[in-house]
């Protein structure tokens, strides 16, 4: 059987979420653990937290076995950190899912690869869907179930199938005592006028999840280059940022308010490419079955 090719991120939390989800299938756990361990080590090397004996090309050759599709393969990319160091990242791996060979193919931007019709299925952060194709309206986008309804079919054939359960939240946070409120929530935002600190890459996302009506009189401000987001929000007094436990926000004297929107890695499909492919449907259904997610769409 010809493998089903699926676009995945090359590194980071979204890739780990995909691998964790697929690790439950037979024969996958060992190789998934190997990939995760390798990429975490290479991240530490790139950040200067580990000092390997071998150079990057020697490590790449040792990690990869291009002759065996069921062994992971890696490649090199320039990292964004100072000096643009070469970083070992994921390239490809074949796993059996629902008795179908699935070829995971690393892409810098899986969502855009689906938009270009390079793949029928792919995984990426739900945030990218909000940032690129979800229409902005006066009312807020409060649930992921509304995502597909906000996508203009004239703009893209990509739709969200389901989330993978690796949930973090875009959370309102600030200093309520200085703002004269008891609750940092949507009701407060609806009447608030003043600065709101956000990361510039999340501007369109924040506009979508808060809604344009509630942003009347609100001015977006951004952290200085190199400044930690929570520190910048503490200086402004109010902001929106991703949280897991909220410990970093509390270290800066911030209180957590309403969770505005869940962020997860999502399985997406290009509906014009899926067609009637039985193998694709089996893979899609196997990934979505029984997942504990904030983002049940399909």
């Amino acid at each position: 059987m010809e493998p089903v090719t699926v676009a995945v991120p090359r590194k980071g939390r979204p890739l780990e979420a995909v691998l964790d989800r697929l690790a439950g299938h037979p024969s996958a756990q060992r190789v998934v653990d190997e990939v995760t361990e390798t990429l975490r080590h290479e991240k530490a090397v790139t950040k200067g937290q580990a000092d390997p004996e071998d150079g990057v090309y020697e490590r790449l050759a040792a990690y990869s076995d291009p002759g065996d599709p069921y062994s992971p393969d890696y490649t090199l990319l320039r990292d964004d950190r100072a000096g643009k160091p070469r970083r070992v990242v994921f390239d490809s791996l074949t796993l059996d899912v629902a008795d179908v060979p699935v070829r995971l193919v690393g892409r810098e931007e899986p969502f855009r690869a689906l938009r270009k019709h390079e793949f029928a299925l792919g995984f990426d952060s739900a945030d990218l869907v909000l940032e690129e194709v979800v229409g902005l309206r006066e009312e807020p986008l409060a649930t992921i179930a509304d995502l597909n309804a906000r996508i203009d079919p004239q703009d893209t054939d990509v739709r969200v199938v389901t989330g993978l359960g690796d949930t973090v939240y875009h959370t309102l946070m600030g200093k309520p005592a200085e703002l004269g409120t008891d609750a940092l929530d949507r009701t407060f935002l609806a009447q608030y006028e003043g600065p709101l600190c956000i990361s510039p890459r999340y501007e369109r996302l924040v506009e979508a999840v808060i809604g344009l009506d509630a942003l009347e009189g609100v001015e977006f401000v951004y952290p200085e280059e190199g400044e930690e987001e929570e520190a910048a929000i503490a200086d402004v007094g109010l902001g929106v940022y991703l949280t897991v436990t909220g410990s970093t926000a509390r270290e800066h004297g911030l209180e957590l308010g309403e969770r505005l929107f869940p962020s997860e890695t999502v399985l997406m499909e290009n509906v014009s490419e899926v067609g009637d492919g039985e193998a694709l449907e089996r893979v899609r259904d196997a990934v979505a079955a029984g997942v504990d997610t904030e983002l049940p769409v399909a």
Side-chain angles (χ1 to χ4, degrees):
M1 181 185 296
E2 198 68 24
V4 170
T5 57
V6 179
V8 300
R10 289 197 181 276
K11 54 185 169 58
R13 179 177 64 87
L15 175 60
E16 289 197 12
V18 174
L19 296 175
D20 286 345
R21 181 62 183 159
L22 298 181
H25 294 270
S27 305
Q29 185 66 60
R30 179 194 59 79
V31 70
V32 163
D33 288 346
E34 176 187 333
V35 173
T36 300
E37 181 179 344
T38 297
L39 293 178
R40 287 180 178 177
H41 172 70
E42 288 298 326
K43 179 180 180 180
V45 171
T46 305
K47 295 175 70 174
Q49 298 171 349
D51 188 16
E53 294 182 3
D54 296 326
V56 66
Y57 291 106
E58 288 79 10
R59 299 197 309 276
L60 179 65
Y63 293 147
S64 299
D65 184 3
D68 180 4
Y70 282 84
S71 291
D73 197 17
Y74 302 88
T75 190
L76 294 177
L77 288 180
R78 290 285 188 181
D79 196 78
D80 291 333
R81 291 177 174 81
K84 301 291 184 182
R86 294 180 179 87
R87 178 172 175 176
V88 175
V89 295
F90 178 80
D91 189 61
S92 62
L93 171 67
T94 298
L95 297 171
D96 289 329
V97 178
D99 297 322
V100 176
V102 175
R103 185 72 169 163
L104 304 179
V105 179
R107 285 289 182 268
E108 278 297 280
E109 298 174 324
F111 173 57
R112 290 182 178 176
L114 263 72
R115 291 191 72 188
K116 295 177 187 176
H117 298 261
E118 295 174 10
F119 297 84
L121 296 176
F123 295 92
D124 213 333
S125 170
D127 291 353
L128 295 178
V129 183
L130 272 78
E131 291 163 15
E132 294 206 10
V133 297
V134 165
L136 300 179
R137 299 179 185 174
E138 285 69 24
E139 66 275 11
L141 178 70
T143 69
I144 202 76
D146 297 331
L147 256 182
N148 286 340
R150 289 267 189 115
I151 296 175
D152 184 350
Q154 301 299 317
D155 187 31
T156 180
D157 292 321
V158 178
R159 301 292 182 272
V160 175
V161 177
T162 186
L164 297 189
D166 59 325
T167 313
V168 294
Y169 293 91
H170 293 280
T171 303
L172 188 63
M173 60 184 70
K175 298 179 177 180
E178 295 181 8
L179 295 166
T181 183
D182 295 326
L184 297 174
D185 55 18
R186 290 183 182 276
T187 301
F188 167 74
L189 270 179
Q191 52 81 38
Y192 173 76
E193 294 185 356
L196 181 71
C197 186
I198 63 172
S199 174
R201 70 180 184 273
Y202 291 136
E203 182 169 324
R204 183 180 174 88
L205 182 150
V206 170
E207 290 176 327
V209 303
I210 293 178
L212 299 180
D213 273 353
L215 289 172
E216 285 287 335
V218 172
E219 176 192 3
F220 288 148
V221 295
Y222 313 101
E224 297 291 336
E225 185 174 352
E227 185 180 18
E228 194 173 40
E229 279 80 358
E230 290 90 345
I233 293 172
D235 288 341
V236 173
L238 185 68
V240 177
Y241 194 56
L242 284 171
T243 62
V244 181
T245 64
S247 58
T248 305
R250 294 186 186 94
E251 289 174 3
H252 289 281
L254 297 168
E255 293 186 24
L256 299 185
E258 184 173 343
R259 290 173 167 176
L260 299 175
F261 200 80
S263 175
E264 289 187 19
T265 305
V266 293
L267 171 64
M268 301 168 294
E269 63 180 1
N270 186 309
V271 294
S272 69
E273 298 295 332
V274 170
D276 298 322
E278 180 186 351
L280 282 169
E281 288 187 9
R282 284 162 60 187
V283 172
R284 181 187 61 194
D285 293 346
V287 171
V291 65
D292 182 14
T293 173
E294 293 272 352
L295 320 181
V297 174

